[in-house]
Amino acid sequence: RVLSRRVRQRWGTNMAEEENKQESAARMAQLPLPVTVEQPGTLIMLLQSPEQPVTLSAAKALYHFAKDGGEGNEPEVIMHLRGALGDGGGIPVVIKLLTKEAWCGPDYEVQAVCLNILSRCAGEAVADGRLILRKRNGESCQADKNGEEKCRLKTVELGGLKPMVEHLKSEELDVAGKAAYCIACHALDSPVRLGIHILGGVALLLQLMSNKNADDGVVNQAALALSTVLQHVEAKDELYRLKGMKVLIDQGLMSDSVDVQENAARALAYAIEQEGNLKDLRRLEGIDKLIEMLAALPDTDRLPNDKVRQSVSFALSLSAFDSECRTEIRMKEGLRALSNCLASEEARVQEEALMALANCAFDIPCKQTIGALGGMKNGIGLLSNGELSVVANACVALSRLVFDFMSGLDFVEEGGVAQLASVLNNYCKLYEQYVESKQKYVDDLSKDDVDEEAKKAAQDALEKLEIPDLRLGRAILENCKSCAEQGNVREEMRKEENFFGNMFRMIKHEDEIVSGMACQALANAAFDVEGRPMLLEMNAIPEFVKCLTYKDVDTQLSAARAIGNFAMDSYGRQKLFESKAMAPLVAQLEAKDENGKDAIEPRRAAILAIGKCASDRSSAVELCDIGALSKLLSLMDTHWKQLGQAAEDAVERLLQKSQSAKLWLRGEVDFEDRTSDGWFDMGVGRPYTSLADLQKETVNTNREVLLADASQDNRLKQLVEEVKAECATLGLSQIVLDKRDAASTEVKKKCVVKMAEILSQRLGGSILYDKYMDFGYSTEIQRCKQLRKSNVVWVGDLKKAGCRHRAFLFKYLCDLVLPYLCRLERTKIERGAHVGHAWNVVKFFGDVDQEGQQKTYTVDLMHNVGSLYENGTDFNPADEWAAKYQRKDVYHFISLG
């Protein structure tokens, strides 16, 4: 009975198990597969199943859900999917499935699909190396479309990089390849690339490329990942430490797969930006292999492939920044191969080949070789290409090929001027359309009678409005600049209708770099006599003045040179004066580059321009008044020799035209320095200050400033007329002034004596030498200050004055009546009894000693008025009174009175 009970129990147990199995099988069979899912969140929940088949099916469904839709025109559901992955917790679920903690356990199939999902959501289109190249060339990149950037950053933030990098070591090579591809999709930002490098991604990707069991697809994904990661400087250094260039060349460039060759060449291009990798490239004969891969030489056995040509040309363009690589490219017929690539029907190949040729053209031998191979003709022909990126690179290449008279002649003969003018004109039209549209939207937003809906539409349109390709504009103007540097090309450019006019339109571009390039191009036109009037008619000076403030050193330099060229004739100087260009030009003496460091060449150009502007008295006076003289004096003592000499020359030019500044600095105004209205004397011991600022000072007891200006000072005007009349009575005329005989000299001496007597009578008469200190005139000085409410004393107001005032006025009068015969000197001391003491020295042409040396005389205006004390020559001794009146020699230390 017991046995039968146990049998029944066992039988019952087996029956229960069988029933459970049948029930479970029934449940599995009853699942409605395939399932129609409308929300990706449902699939995300299924991903968390502990059963591998369910997880795998959900992952595949999720991937297909994301992949649905055409490239570049993804449906709206993908946006929802990415939103669910990013905001609804989907990304952490997918990342966890890549780890050992996955709900279904680690599984290669699930991992492979999850890697594909992350790649898709990160925007797998952005991993296309050709798109990366287009982004480098300035074209807009759609990498942020549909939220890819948000997903990429979310994946990185949640630690998704670590499992991706770990899967590069996967025994399942398909998973490793997908991990490499996923890394390529995410490594678009510098911090992400650095993170991959820190996790050891560079070494693992190189190992994956070197894996003998890996097929071309896996190797290609590894090369693609390296082409993105190696854009970080530390990744380049790591590649050099790992001797990775050998892997890229042996496993990449030498691969039979064109896809591997393409991505390996691009990875190599970024790697050689590091010097060590560049040396390895030359050592491993990488230049030879790159040239061979172009398949553009007559003796090649390779079949040309446009994708490979594009990436190889890109690599050669970067290697060409090195002079040794340029030489090797030229010697190995690389220039011929690149020139042949210009005949390709693929625009991207033309684009990169042009850039490679442009970079090779930094060397004169390469320029000549490219020209001999028809590079000039091909480049000009590509200016009419429909692809704007090709046109831009053609402009860059041509800007480097036009470098001397002969290359300029080739450019002209091949019709380059007309083609370049057409390209520039088309770009100007695009920019004008942009400006008009922008202004229209801005006007709509500023109107009060427009409803909110219309304003919102205008705001949306304004935000979507895109400025014409800036890289294209810069390249066109760079070409214009190089062409305008050659006189023969510049002449043809002037003949082309509206060529310089369009360049002037571009100098007003809202982008500072484009505007600066236009300034550099247009500045060359100011070198020519024919070009300057054309630019002045355009009112170009204010635009050049504006460019002085730009950060770019070359733009500052070009603007300063253009202003200097305008100052070469009086009309140009007048226009500069009217345009108020002097103050910005003086500010340029302290020019800085974009890093805040001293910009030497722009400063030197500004110094030279100031020297040219100083050819006019009005400009020289203004320059001194706004601080040019003080700044130039400080630059004379600088350790930069090229600035010191130029500053010294500019100071001399300023002093030639500004006698007030010369008297302040040198303490003398020479015979050749002819004074005029507005001349003033500040005295000694104070910094140079403009007359306008001196007149604004409140009245005080400081040393007075003397001003001679008959145009405003009626008393002085009367004195001038009196002196002229008296001298005419004595027989002075223009004919007498021009003669050098004894009779004319005697007339001139009588005029000097007469002027001294008139001046002395006007300013208080004479006084004994020993009583000079008792000749009080300080009260008279204060009276004159109060009369004009200023520390500036008009010399016509003075009724009593000392030696300094008399010498100042005598120089002014003499320059009007006896020009070039009087010199004013002042003591060089700043303390003592004779501070500010001044005197006049006169000479008479033809009045020489027995050896023919010119005689000079010191004029006594204070004591024995009208006496002329001979200063002596090598053969005639000086009159004792000359040193006595000048307070020189022993009299220098003797106090008067």
Side-chain angles (χ1 to χ4, degrees):
R1 193 177 296 118
V2 174
L3 181 59
S4 62
R5 187 166 59 249
R6 289 176 178 173
V7 170
R8 284 197 301 272
Q9 288 176 348
R10 287 179 181 176
W11 178 255
T13 300
N14 292 337
M15 288 291 291
E17 292 177 354
E18 186 64 26
E19 289 175 357
N20 289 335
K21 288 181 180 179
Q22 292 177 358
E23 184 179 352
S24 175
R27 286 199 301 271
M28 290 179 65
Q30 291 171 0
L31 274 175
L33 295 176
V35 180
T36 300
V37 178
E38 295 183 0
Q39 298 296 331
T42 306
L43 297 174
I44 292 171
M45 289 192 296
L46 292 174
L47 289 176
Q48 303 175 53
S49 169
E51 300 183 50
Q52 188 269 353
V54 175
T55 302
L56 180 60
S57 297
K60 288 181 178 179
L62 186 61
Y63 175 67
H64 287 292
F65 196 103
K67 199 170 178 60
D68 186 27
E71 182 179 353
N73 188 29
E74 290 87 347
E76 190 176 352
V77 291
I78 298 181
M79 297 175 63
H80 294 317
L81 171 61
R82 286 173 176 145
L85 289 176
D87 301 328
I91 286 182
V93 173
V94 177
I95 292 175
K96 187 171 182 178
L97 289 173
L98 296 175
T99 66
K100 296 179 180 179
E101 288 77 25
W103 293 276
C104 64
D107 181 80
Y108 289 140
E109 290 184 276
V110 173
Q111 291 167 356
V113 178
C114 288
L115 287 168
N116 283 341
I117 292 172
L118 290 177
S119 300
R120 179 61 178 169
C121 292
E124 58 184 356
V126 302
D128 183 353
R130 290 176 291 282
L131 183 55
I132 295 173
L133 277 181
R134 290 198 291 277
K135 187 176 181 182
R136 177 184 69 84
N137 288 339
E139 293 187 22
S140 57
C141 179
Q142 303 296 326
D144 300 336
K145 188 175 181 180
N146 294 337
E148 292 102 329
E149 183 179 17
K150 181 178 180 181
C151 284
R152 287 197 305 273
L153 297 179
K154 191 71 174 178
T155 302
V156 174
E157 179 185 341
L158 295 173
L161 289 181
K162 186 174 182 180
M164 289 182 206
V165 174
E166 289 294 325
H167 281 303
L168 292 175
K169 299 183 286 188
S170 175
E171 295 179 358
E172 183 63 38
L173 291 177
D174 180 60
V175 174
K178 286 181 170 57
Y181 181 69
C182 193
I183 287 173
C185 292
H186 285 80
L188 297 183
D189 305 299
S190 184
V192 179
R193 295 168 186 150
L194 178 60
I196 295 168
H197 155 66
I198 292 173
L199 293 169
V202 175
L204 293 174
L205 288 168
L206 289 173
Q207 291 175 14
L208 188 59
M209 282 191 69
S210 304
N211 193 319
K212 295 181 179 179
N213 297 322
D215 59 21
D216 289 340
V218 173
V219 175
N220 181 45
Q221 305 302 352
L224 175 62
L226 282 171
S227 71
T228 57
V229 176
L230 287 176
Q231 294 177 48
H232 195 281
V233 62
E234 293 192 23
K236 303 180 206 291
D237 294 337
E238 179 68 13
L239 185 84
Y240 175 69
R241 287 191 291 270
L242 296 170
K243 306 298 180 185
M245 288 297 292
K246 182 172 177 58
V247 176
L248 288 175
I249 292 173
D250 293 345
Q251 309 301 325
L253 301 186
M254 305 308 295
S255 171
D256 294 332
S257 169
V258 292
D259 291 333
V260 175
Q261 294 173 10
E262 176 193 3
N263 288 315
R266 190 173 299 108
L268 181 144
Y270 290 115
I272 60 178
E273 290 177 339
Q274 198 259 16
E275 186 177 0
N277 291 326
L278 184 62
K279 290 180 179 178
D280 285 345
L281 175 71
R282 294 198 302 267
R283 180 176 57 82
L284 297 169
E285 298 182 348
I287 298 292
D288 282 357
K289 295 179 175 62
L290 288 171
I291 294 173
E292 181 186 352
M293 290 170 64
L294 288 173
L297 293 175
D299 57 349
T300 184
D301 296 330
R302 282 178 174 263
L303 293 176
N305 181 278
D306 286 337
K307 292 181 180 180
V308 174
R309 281 183 167 184
Q310 181 189 352
S311 58
V312 168
S313 297
F314 175 48
L316 287 172
S317 70
L318 292 182
S319 69
F321 284 114
D322 178 73
S323 60
E324 294 184 18
C325 285
R326 288 197 294 271
T327 301
E328 188 171 351
I329 292 171
R330 177 170 58 86
M331 298 299 291
K332 300 294 178 59
E333 291 197 280
L335 296 178
R336 180 184 296 276
L338 289 168
S339 298
N340 291 340
C341 287
L342 296 180
S344 171
E345 296 180 358
E346 174 57 44
R348 301 300 173 190
V349 176
Q350 297 173 335
E351 175 186 351
E352 293 302 328
L354 280 167
M355 184 54 67
L357 288 170
N359 291 344
C360 288
F362 282 120
D363 286 343
I364 299 296
C366 289
K367 293 177 191 283
Q368 295 170 338
T369 303
I370 295 170
L373 292 169
M376 184 77 74
K377 181 178 180 180
N378 292 334
I380 293 171
L382 290 172
L383 288 178
S384 57
N385 193 286
E387 287 286 338
L388 296 183
S389 57
V390 176
V391 175
N393 283 7
C395 287
V396 174
L398 289 171
S399 69
R400 295 171 187 170
L401 292 176
V402 179
F403 67 98
D404 62 4
F405 179 84
M406 293 306 299
S407 59
L409 189 60
D410 290 342
F411 183 80
V412 172
E413 291 178 348
E414 295 293 344
V417 174
Q419 285 283 8
L420 183 58
S422 175
V423 171
L424 177 61
N425 188 57
N426 292 336
Y427 186 82
C428 286
K429 289 179 179 178
L430 290 175
Y431 181 69
E432 285 183 351
Q433 292 173 4
Y434 162 79
V435 172
E436 290 174 2
S437 300
K438 182 178 180 180
Q439 188 61 47
K440 177 181 177 298
Y441 297 139
V442 171
D443 292 342
D444 290 344
L445 289 172
S446 62
K447 291 178 181 177
D448 296 331
D449 56 346
V450 178
D451 57 28
E452 291 300 322
E453 184 176 349
K455 284 189 175 182
K456 186 177 183 302
Q459 183 65 39
D460 293 342
L462 185 62
E463 291 175 357
K464 293 178 181 178
L465 189 63
E466 291 187 2
I467 191 170
D469 189 353
L470 295 178
R471 180 178 178 271
L472 175 61
R474 296 167 188 172
I476 293 171
L477 291 167
E478 183 179 355
N479 194 1
C480 292
K481 172 193 171 186
S482 66
C483 291
E485 287 173 351
Q486 309 305 321
N488 53 344
V489 184
R490 195 162 60 242
E491 184 178 354
E492 295 298 321
M493 292 169 72
R494 280 198 303 273
K495 296 177 182 177
E496 196 69 32
E497 183 180 0
N498 209 28
F499 201 141
F500 284 103
N502 282 332
M503 284 197 285
F504 181 68
R505 287 152 74 186
M506 286 295 97
I507 206 174
K508 299 180 180 181
H509 199 287
E510 67 180 51
D511 179 73
E512 184 174 306
I513 298 178
V514 174
S515 175
M517 292 298 299
C519 169
Q520 296 174 44
L522 204 58
N524 292 310
F527 284 110
D528 299 328
V529 176
E530 301 86 353
R532 288 194 290 274
M534 175 184 63
L535 294 175
L536 290 174
E537 187 177 345
M538 296 177 187
N539 195 27
I541 290 179
E543 298 302 325
F544 284 117
V545 171
K546 179 188 70 174
C547 291
L548 288 174
T549 63
Y550 285 4
K551 295 179 181 179
D552 181 63
V553 170
D554 290 334
T555 302
Q556 296 175 16
L557 177 61
S558 297
R561 284 178 174 173
I563 291 173
N565 288 327
F566 285 123
M568 294 177 70
D569 56 67
S570 58
Y571 182 70
R573 290 192 293 271
Q574 179 63 29
K575 287 295 183 181
L576 288 171
F577 185 79
E578 294 173 358
S579 301
K580 299 180 179 180
M582 301 305 173
L585 190 61
V586 172
Q588 192 68 7
L589 295 176
E590 298 176 344
K592 303 284 186 181
D593 62 16
E594 56 188 5
N595 298 317
K597 296 182 179 179
D598 295 333
I600 306 305
E601 284 304 316
R603 290 188 182 190
R604 185 172 182 274
I607 293 172
L608 296 176
I610 286 172
K612 294 176 183 177
C613 290
S615 299
D616 283 343
R617 184 180 183 279
S618 57
S619 298
V621 170
E622 183 188 4
L623 287 166
C624 292
D625 289 349
I626 59 179
L629 181 59
S630 301
K631 291 180 180 179
L632 288 171
L633 290 173
S634 65
L635 289 174
M636 284 174 59
D637 299 328
T638 184
H639 61 280
W640 293 302
K641 292 183 179 180
Q642 64 268 44
L643 291 186
Q645 184 60 52
E648 185 176 349
D649 294 341
V651 167
E652 288 299 325
R653 288 174 174 267
L654 286 173
L655 298 185
Q656 286 175 10
K657 296 298 181 180
S658 177
Q659 286 72 39
S660 303
K662 186 169 186 177
L663 182 58
W664 168 80
L665 181 64
R666 303 277 171 79
E668 62 185 29
V669 182
D670 216 334
F671 299 106
E672 293 78 16
D673 299 318
R674 192 172 181 181
T675 59
S676 58
D677 287 339
W679 183 45
F680 63 94
D681 173 23
M682 296 170 52
V684 295
R686 63 183 299 173
Y688 186 85
T689 310
S690 70
L691 179 61
D693 291 337
L694 291 169
Q695 290 174 325
K696 293 176 183 177
E697 293 180 356
T698 56
V699 178
N700 53 46
T701 57
N702 293 339
R703 185 179 298 275
E704 69 280 2
V705 177
L706 301 179
L707 172 63
D709 190 346
S711 64
Q712 302 182 67
D713 190 341
N714 289 328
R715 294 176 184 271
L716 179 59
K717 184 178 180 180
Q718 293 172 4
L719 177 61
V720 171
E721 292 174 353
E722 179 184 352
V723 168
K724 286 182 177 180
E726 290 292 339
C727 290
T729 303
L730 294 172
L732 185 67
S733 65
Q734 186 60 47
I735 296 176
V736 173
L737 284 173
D738 294 338
K739 288 184 177 180
R740 301 191 177 193
D741 57 4
S744 62
T745 298
E746 188 63 28
V747 172
K748 295 172 188 174
K749 285 185 178 180
K750 289 179 180 179
C751 290
V752 169
V753 173
K754 190 63 179 179
M755 281 193 295
E757 292 173 350
I758 294 173
L759 188 149
S760 178
Q761 293 172 4
R762 186 72 174 264
L763 297 179
S766 63
I767 190 172
L768 295 175
Y769 185 83
D770 295 338
K771 300 296 183 180
Y772 180 67
M773 295 304 292
D774 298 332
F775 188 73
Y777 56 86
S778 58
T779 302
E780 176 65 9
I781 297 298
Q782 291 302 316
R783 183 191 70 81
C784 293
K785 286 184 177 182
Q786 293 297 333
L787 179 65
R788 301 294 177 181
K789 305 298 181 185
S790 170
N791 282 323
V792 178
V793 173
W794 294 18
V795 290
D797 293 337
L798 287 170
K799 296 180 180 180
K800 192 175 185 180
C803 292
R804 174 197 169 208
H805 313 84
R806 297 187 184 200
F808 176 81
L809 180 54
F810 185 85
K811 170 64 176 171
Y812 175 79
L813 292 173
C814 200
D815 285 346
L816 291 175
V817 180
L818 298 169
Y820 310 115
L821 298 184
C822 181
R823 170 187 174 96
L824 171 65
E825 293 186 43
R826 187 174 61 199
T827 55
K828 304 299 191 291
I829 59 174
E830 296 184 6
R831 292 187 299 174
H834 309 305
V835 173
H837 176 65
W839 63 93
N840 300 104
V841 175
V842 294
K843 68 179 180 180
F844 306 99
F845 296 114
D847 185 17
V848 296
D849 64 10
Q850 62 270 30
E851 293 296 327
Q853 290 188 12
Q854 177 69 58
K855 291 182 180 181
T856 61
Y857 304 89
T858 298
V859 183
D860 191 331
L861 301 173
M862 197 75 219
H863 312 297
N864 302 313
V865 176
S867 297
L868 301 180
Y869 307 126
E870 189 173 343
N871 293 317
T873 62
D874 292 342
F875 297 94
N876 292 348
D879 191 317
E880 180 184 359
W881 265 92
K884 193 173 182 179
Y885 188 85
Q886 295 174 10
R887 318 297 196 253
K888 283 188 175 180
D889 302 333
V890 295
Y891 303 100
H892 180 74
F893 304 99
I894 298 176
S895 176
L896 299 179

